[in-house]
Amino acid sequence: MRVISGFFTVGAGFFVMMIGIMSGFTIIGLLWAFPVAFFGWGLMLKGFADMGMGSYEAVKAHAERQKQRQQG
C-alpha cells in the first residue's frame, strides 16, 4: 500500500513542481516560484522514499512468510 501512496505522492510533487516552474515566468511568480518548485521536489523525494520503504517491507514480509511455511 505504501508503494501506491508513494506513486501518487511523486505525481503530486511533479505537478506542484511544474506549477512552480511555470509560475516563475511571471513577474509575481518570481517571488514564490522557487519555494514552490523545491516543495514539489521534496514531495517527489518523499514519494520515492515511500515506494522504496514499501518495497522493502513487502519483500521482508514475504521472506518471513516463506520461512514460516518451511518450518511449519
Side-chain angles (χ1 to χ4, degrees):
M1 195 65 174
R2 203 166 177 182
V3 175
I4 296 169
S5 172
F7 179 75
F8 285 113
T9 305
V10 168
F14 180 76
F15 180 72
V16 169
M17 192 170 65
M18 289 298 112
I19 295 285
I21 290 171
M22 289 171 45
S23 68
F25 294 115
T26 65
I27 298 296
I28 297 171
L30 288 174
L31 298 173
W32 55 274
F34 292 113
V36 170
F38 281 124
F39 178 72
W41 180 76
L43 273 176
M44 290 178 65
L45 192 63
K46 181 192 180 305
F48 284 121
D50 280 345
M51 286 192 291
M53 288 301 296
S55 299
Y56 170 76
E57 289 172 357
V59 169
K60 185 177 174 183
H62 178 70
E64 288 176 3
R65 282 194 307 267
Q66 290 288 24
K67 189 183 292 185
Q68 287 177 354
R69 285 182 188 161
Q70 289 176 354
Q71 290 176 354

